[in-house]
């Protein structure tokens, strides 16, 4: 016995045809081929449907659900109270919300207190453009003491909202979930570990509430497990999208204890790369471990006036609660002394649960995939199904759809936003489904067109191996750069290679080759289809190309099944072959038409109207010293409504350093009768060339924030203290080289102590404060019904500034 040294090209009929994929060799008769194609596609569709059904949110439980269960119906009653109106940190509305929370938690018999302090922001955040940032915060903290505690479990959400909206989802969802979980936990047997309910303040401003709790609350001193609950939209599955480092044990508990565990290690990698932050950031240090969960679809309403209780999908709320309660019970009874493991896990959802394996397997698996695909290529060549040249061409050409599909998706979105510029200010369109389907149809059209063009010359086998080779190589790249995402291409490449090997080695006349490649494609569907579906809301249509890329990778894994849709390669001559080629173009043409139609339907259906207004950004800034006022907008290509206020581009850094720097649209505005914040000198002492100024900055109206800046051409700031705490002195760019931002300033004012080295005579200080709401300003014309407000931290802001030489 010896291995044949030349390809087996003679023997039993049917004669093998060079370039024909193994799966199709048995299927020289068109009817059998069609049946096989139909069976394979039905199987894949069923697997895909199963994967997507698994992402559905649970049915919301009504208010009369059993006491030990989480009821979205009960939680929603709190949502309505919390999100009755906008309740930004420091506002009277937020005080009412806080009173409700305290009353609810005390009513459950929990030890409840308010942590009232001034705290710096967590980490270095994007919001710090104005300078060192602090806030006065009031966290509501309640404790359910454990029976034999091994550590603490913290359930965290923020109760403040943005200034522009009531925060019906963000984060009344998390806050009401925690109240309902607290209720369910107090009705059942007491957990072993302490459970601490932490409802934080000033998350939207600076994560200052969470930072204050993590850094200085006695209950946080020994650390513990943090479960943070968020919402960045109004619907969709709750995704566990962020973890502390070395998460394997946490993820294992999540997979076991959450009734609907949707989470992927890829999301953790994406989130680390995005500039977003939540309260969870404040807990990411040595003391704490934890999981961060949110639902994120329906992002169009995020931070806008439309984020109301009515906008909430109560299925998402139920999932938040089911998972939070399951995790609180499990962590409540787990020995918390050893939750860190030496590694991160790779994990992803599959129907019925969460697959997880240790992160150290990532690189070996990626290399194994490369080896198996290499073996498949070698055996494919040895069996005479593709020459070395064709295999090389297949590999090179498989890069075409991988590059073309994302590029085309981005161009499609460029075209759509050119037609509808208002989309530029939205995280996602109001009804994104049509555009998402258009992107998928476009990716399909590109893959099918590419396949129809290359299949006859290169052959199905070489193209299939070429596609798998790219998945395997991407797996190696990802394993090195973003290990948590490597499974996305490694596992489908492994499955594809194994399927191909089985198809090569089994009897070509039987059904096994088709079964093998279909099973391999099914693995790709299970892993990549949910990824595509979750990537759309995660990144928004502006980055739809990423979903298109993953869709094409899925198509490459399924290429042997796609091939069954095409007539037998090389099986026909003359007229028959011509007809076959024409037929092969059909699916590509159909997908291309679908892409155009779906994009058109999207434009037709998702029009701006009163319920789905075009977002606009406007603010007002006035110098109380000169009386000069301006309208300002962040819109780079102003909407018609905004265009009525702004006419040019400006940089406000010199006049309003509290607004940060960067270009804004601006236009002249009438002066309003508004007072600047008062700056008083409480003490002024000079010693050894250093001047120490004790100042009080007092807003003269209900302000959301106040800022104080120093012109560093008049003095160098050496040290700074705000409300008795020292803040970092980090130089800023521009004239105002030192700045402080104080969120939720108390009515009695803020005490600031600056130690400076004077440069020339008086020190120039610029004080600014800001509140929200432009309606009462002279010259403001209310928005028409179909014009709305951009969800941003500066929309509708009304800033007043003044320079004080001291
Ligand atoms: Zn928010």
């Amino acid at each position: 016995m010896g291995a044949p040294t030349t390809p087996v090209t003679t023997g039993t009929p049917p004669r093998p045809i060079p370039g024909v994929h193994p799966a199709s060799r048995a299927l020289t008769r068109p009817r059998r081929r069609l049946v096989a194609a139909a069976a394979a596609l039905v199987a894949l569709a069923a697997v895909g449907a199963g994967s997507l059904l698994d992402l559905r949110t649970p049915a919301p439980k009504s208010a009369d659900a059993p006491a030990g269960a989480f009821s979205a119906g009960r939680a929603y009653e709190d949502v309505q109270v919390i999100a009755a109106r906008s309740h930004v940190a420091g506002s009277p509305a937020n005080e009412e919300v806080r009173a409700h929370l305290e009353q609810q938690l005390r009513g459950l018999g929990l030890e409840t207190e308010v942590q009232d302090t001034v705290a710096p922001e967590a980490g270095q955040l994007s919001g710090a453009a104005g300078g060192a940032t602090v806030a006065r915060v009031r966290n509501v903290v309640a404790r359910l003491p454990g029976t034999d505690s091994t550590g603490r479990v913290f359930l965290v959400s923020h109760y403040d909202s943005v200034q522009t909206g009531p925060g019906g989802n963000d984060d009344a969802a998390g806050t009401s979930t925690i109240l309902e979980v607290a209720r369910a936990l107090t009705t059942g047997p007491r957990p072993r570990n302490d459970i601490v309910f932490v409802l934080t303040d000033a998350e939207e401003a600076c994560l200052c509430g969470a930072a204050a709790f993590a850094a200085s609350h006695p209950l946080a001193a020994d650390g513990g497990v943090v479960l943070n609950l968020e919402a960045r939209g109004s619907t969709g599955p709750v995704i566990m999208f962020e973890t502390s480092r070395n998460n394997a044990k946490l993820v294992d508990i999540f997979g076991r204890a959450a009734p609907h565990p949707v989470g992927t290690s890829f999301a953790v990698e994406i989130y680390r790369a995005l500039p977003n932050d939540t309260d969870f950031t404040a807990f990411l240090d040595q003391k704490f471990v934890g999981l961060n969960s949110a639902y994120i679809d329906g992002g169009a309403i995020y931070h806008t006036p439309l984020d109301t209780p009515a906008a909430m999908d109560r299925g998402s709320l139920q999932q938040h609660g089911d998972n939070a309660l399951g995790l609180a019970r499990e962590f409540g009874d787990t020995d918390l002394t050893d939750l860190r493991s030496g590694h991160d896990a790779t994990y992803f959802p599959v129907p019925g649960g969460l697959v997880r394996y240790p992160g150290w397997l990532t690189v070996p698996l990626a290399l194994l995939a490369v080896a198996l695909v290499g073996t498949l290529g070698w055996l494919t060549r040895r069996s005479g199904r593709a020459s070395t040249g064709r295999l090389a061409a297949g590999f090179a050409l498989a890069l075409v759809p991988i590059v073309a599909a994302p590029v085309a998706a981005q161009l499609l979105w460029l075209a759509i936003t050119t037609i509808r510029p208002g989309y530029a200010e939205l995280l996602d369109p109001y009804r994104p489904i049509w555009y998402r389907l258009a992107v998928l149809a476009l990716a399909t059209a590109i893959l099918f067109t590419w396949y129809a063009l290359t299949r006859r010359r290169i052959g199905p086998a070489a193209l299939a191996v070429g596609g798998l080779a790219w998945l395997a190589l991407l797996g190696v790249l990802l394993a090195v750069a973003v290990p948590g995402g490597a499974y996305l291409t490694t596992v489908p490449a492994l499955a594809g290679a194994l399927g191909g090997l089985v198809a090569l080695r089994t009897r070509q006349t039987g059904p096994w080759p088709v079964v093998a490649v279909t099973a391999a494609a099914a693995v790709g569907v299970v892993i990549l289809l949910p990824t595509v579906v979750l990537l759309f809301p995660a990144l928004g249509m502006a980055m739809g190309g990423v979903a298109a890329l993953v869709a094409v990778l899925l198509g490459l894994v399924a290429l042997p099944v796609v091939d069954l849709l095409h007539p037998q390669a090389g099986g026909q001559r003359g007229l028959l072959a011509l007809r076959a080629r024409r037929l092969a173009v059909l699916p590509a043409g159909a997908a291309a038409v679908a892409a155009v139609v779906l994009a058109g339907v999207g434009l037709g259906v998702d029009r701006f109207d009163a319920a789905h207004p075009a977002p606009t950004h406007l603010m007002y800034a006035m110098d109380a010293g000169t009386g000069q006022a301006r309208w300002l907008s962040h819109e780079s290509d102003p909407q018609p409504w905004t265009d009525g206020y702004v006419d040019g581009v400006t940089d406000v850094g010199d006049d309003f350093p509290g607004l940060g720097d960067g270009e804004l649209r601006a236009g002249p505005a009438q002066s309003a009768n508004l007072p600047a914040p008062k700056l008083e000198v409480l003490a002024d002492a000079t010693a050894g060339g250093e001047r120490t100024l004790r100042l009080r900055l007092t807003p003269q109206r209900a302000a959301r924030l106040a800022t104080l800046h120093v012109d560093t051409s008049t003095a160098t700031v050496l040290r700074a203290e705000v409300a008795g705490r020292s803040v970092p002195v980090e130089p800023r760019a521009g004239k105002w080289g030192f700045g402080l931002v104080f969120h939720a300033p108390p009515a009695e004012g803020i005490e600031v102590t600056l130690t400076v080295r004077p440069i020339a005579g008086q020190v120039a200080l610029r004080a600014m404060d800001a509140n929200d709401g432009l309606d009462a300003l002279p010259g403001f014309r209310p928005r028409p019904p179909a014009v709305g407000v951009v969800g941003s931290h500066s929309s509708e802001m009304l800033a007043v500034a003044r320079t004080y030489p001291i």
Side-chain angles (χ1 to χ4, degrees):
M1 289 271 288
T5 49
T6 50
V8 183
T9 51
T10 54
T12 49
R15 276 176 68 90
I17 301 143
V20 176
H21 191 273
S24 57
R25 283 182 64 205
L27 308 159
T28 42
R29 276 169 293 175
R31 233 188 56 198
R32 272 185 76 176
R33 196 176 170 80
L34 207 66
V35 170
L41 288 174
V42 166
L44 290 186
V47 169
S51 295
L52 296 187
L53 286 178
D54 203 52
L55 293 182
R56 275 191 322 176
T57 54
K61 289 200 176 89
S62 63
D64 54 11
F70 182 93
S71 154
R74 287 190 287 256
Y76 187 71
E77 289 167 19
D78 286 311
V79 172
Q80 287 174 302
V81 176
I82 295 164
R85 55 193 168 123
S86 168
H87 50 286
V88 76
S91 66
N94 209 35
E95 268 171 49
E96 282 174 29
V97 172
R98 183 170 54 253
H100 173 75
L101 302 177
E102 280 184 72
Q103 182 218 327
Q104 294 295 305
L105 291 166
R106 288 216 170 90
L108 297 172
L110 296 169
E111 302 165 17
T112 305
E113 51 149 345
V114 173
Q115 181 192 15
D116 186 344
T117 185
V118 171
E121 69 182 334
Q124 291 297 309
L125 301 174
S126 49
T133 302
V134 294
R136 193 238 174 142
V137 299
R138 279 159 286 185
N139 297 323
V140 180
V141 181
R143 186 170 77 109
L144 176 64
T147 53
D148 179 23
S149 192
T150 63
R152 295 201 170 104
V153 181
F154 301 94
L155 285 159
V156 182
S157 73
H158 68 91
Y159 71 87
D160 63 309
S161 77
V162 285
Q163 82 285 4
T164 37
N169 291 279
D170 175 17
D171 194 9
T175 305
S176 69
T177 293
I178 288 179
L179 292 180
E180 172 66 4
V181 166
R183 193 205 49 71
L185 288 176
T186 49
T187 53
R190 276 258 290 285
R192 172 189 182 184
N193 299 318
D194 279 8
I195 312 277
V196 184
F197 308 96
V198 187
L199 305 176
T200 69
D201 195 6
E203 190 268 357
E204 298 294 357
C206 50
L207 319 183
C208 289
F213 181 81
S216 61
H217 197 282
L219 286 175
D222 301 324
V225 184
V226 173
L227 304 172
N228 190 55
L229 310 182
E230 267 284 0
R232 199 217 58 185
S234 61
T235 183
V238 173
I239 304 165
M240 195 281 283
F241 66 98
E242 189 182 15
T243 69
S244 49
R245 303 257 167 196
N246 299 325
N247 60 24
K249 286 183 183 167
L250 295 168
V251 166
D252 199 50
I253 291 175
F254 174 70
R256 268 192 287 123
H260 322 282
V262 179
T264 125
S265 43
F266 182 48
V268 176
E269 303 279 10
I270 292 184
Y271 194 75
R272 280 179 191 156
L274 291 176
N276 301 355
D277 273 297
T278 67
D279 274 346
F280 195 68
T281 305
F283 292 94
L284 286 175
D285 70 6
Q286 291 304 309
K287 279 194 299 188
F288 298 94
V289 296
L291 307 172
N292 198 0
S293 301
Y295 55 88
I296 58 171
D297 210 348
I301 59 135
Y302 178 56
H303 283 176
T304 75
L306 304 175
D307 186 8
T308 60
M312 176 187 280
D313 176 344
R314 280 169 240 182
S316 298
L317 184 63
Q318 184 67 41
Q319 189 174 1
H320 238 339
D322 284 347
N323 284 358
L325 181 57
L327 290 170
R329 287 205 171 114
E330 186 67 23
F331 281 113
D333 285 328
T334 303
D335 183 349
L336 300 181
T337 51
D338 185 29
L339 277 182
R340 262 176 231 272
S341 39
H343 60 270
D344 279 331
T346 284
Y347 54 96
F348 49 88
V350 295
L354 190 78
V355 168
R356 45 206 185 269
Y357 59 80
W360 53 260
L361 269 176
T362 305
V363 172
L365 280 178
L367 296 176
L368 180 65
V370 171
L372 278 185
V373 174
T375 307
L376 178 67
W378 180 68
L379 287 175
T380 302
R381 192 184 72 92
R382 223 186 58 157
S383 68
R385 288 173 177 88
S387 64
T388 307
R390 284 186 173 197
L391 281 169
F395 177 65
L397 287 170
L399 190 57
V400 172
I402 293 175
V403 173
V407 169
Q410 294 303 120
L411 289 176
L412 174 68
W413 189 242
L414 190 67
I416 289 169
T417 48
T418 306
I419 297 169
R420 193 147 300 158
Y423 282 155
E425 300 292 336
L426 282 173
L427 200 60
D428 220 11
Y430 289 104
R431 286 148 293 207
I433 183 67
W434 303 103
Y435 299 127
R436 292 175 185 173
L437 290 173
V439 164
L440 294 183
L442 190 61
T444 308
I446 285 168
L447 187 81
F448 281 18
T449 305
W450 163 80
Y451 198 56
L453 292 175
T454 54
R455 181 174 176 269
R456 205 168 58 90
R457 288 242 172 101
I458 312 300
L463 289 170
V465 174
L468 289 179
W470 279 109
L471 271 105
L473 284 179
L474 280 172
V476 175
L477 283 180
L478 289 167
V480 174
V482 277
Y487 77 92
L488 283 175
T489 59
T490 292
V491 177
L494 278 171
L498 286 172
L501 289 171
V502 170
L504 270 180
R505 301 314 257 181
T506 47
R507 207 160 59 89
Q508 300 300 303
T509 47
W512 294 111
V514 173
V515 171
V517 296
T518 307
V523 171
V525 168
V526 165
I527 290 180
L528 296 174
L529 189 60
T531 308
V532 170
V533 169
L534 297 177
L535 270 172
F536 277 119
L539 300 176
M541 285 308 301
M543 285 170 78
V546 182
L549 169 65
V550 177
V552 157
L553 295 177
L554 172 55
L556 288 175
V557 181
L559 219 47
V561 175
V562 171
D563 192 68
L564 294 171
L565 286 174
H566 298 70
Q568 175 76 23
Q572 302 91 7
R573 294 282 177 272
L575 265 179
L576 256 179
L578 190 70
R579 228 186 82 199
R581 254 176 285 151
R582 279 194 191 147
L583 276 174
V585 179
L586 259 181
V593 170
V596 173
V597 168
L598 287 163
V601 170
L603 281 165
V605 169
D606 193 49
R607 289 173 190 279
F608 293 129
D609 56 32
H612 313 87
T616 56
H617 182 281
L618 191 68
M619 49 186 180
Y620 174 93
M622 190 183 81
D623 188 309
T626 63
Q628 214 182 57
R630 270 179 283 184
W631 298 109
L632 298 168
S633 175
H634 275 299
E635 289 176 53
S636 48
D637 185 11
Q639 290 282 302
W641 182 81
T642 319
D643 219 21
Y645 293 92
V646 296
D647 48 24
V649 174
T650 187
D651 190 327
V652 293
D654 278 359
D655 297 331
F656 296 93
L659 299 179
D661 29 46
E663 282 193 343
L664 294 174
R665 298 268 154 180
Q670 295 173 44
S671 178
N673 184 22
L674 294 168
K678 193 162 84 181
L679 188 66
E680 300 162 273
V681 181
L682 305 179
D684 184 353
T686 303
E690 291 183 6
R691 186 177 174 196
T692 301
L693 287 165
R694 201 152 66 80
L695 309 163
R696 185 190 299 280
L697 179 65
T698 316
Q700 301 300 297
R701 53 205 185 109
R704 170 157 66 93
L705 62 92
T707 68
L708 186 66
H709 287 78
V710 177
D711 179 348
T712 42
S713 71
T714 63
T716 306
V717 178
L718 305 170
R719 288 180 295 282
E721 260 182 30
V722 184
R725 358 185 117 234
S726 77
V727 294
V729 179
E730 278 164 24
R732 298 175 73 244
K735 176 181 176 182
W736 305 97
F738 170 82
L740 285 172
V741 180
F742 198 107
H743 291 277
E748 66 270 21
I750 312 142
E751 205 173 294
V752 178
T753 304
L754 296 175
T755 306
V756 304
R757 181 171 296 121
I759 293 172
Q762 289 182 312
V763 181
L765 291 144
R766 184 105 173 137
M768 185 193 97
D769 64 9
N771 62 349
D772 308 288
L774 307 176
D775 292 12
L777 288 172
F780 181 78
R781 299 173 298 280
R783 290 171 168 85
V787 176
V789 175
V790 170
S792 93
H793 293 298
S794 56
S795 288
E796 307 300 278
M797 191 193 259
L798 197 166
V800 182
R802 176 181 200 121
T803 299
Y804 291 91
I806 286 169

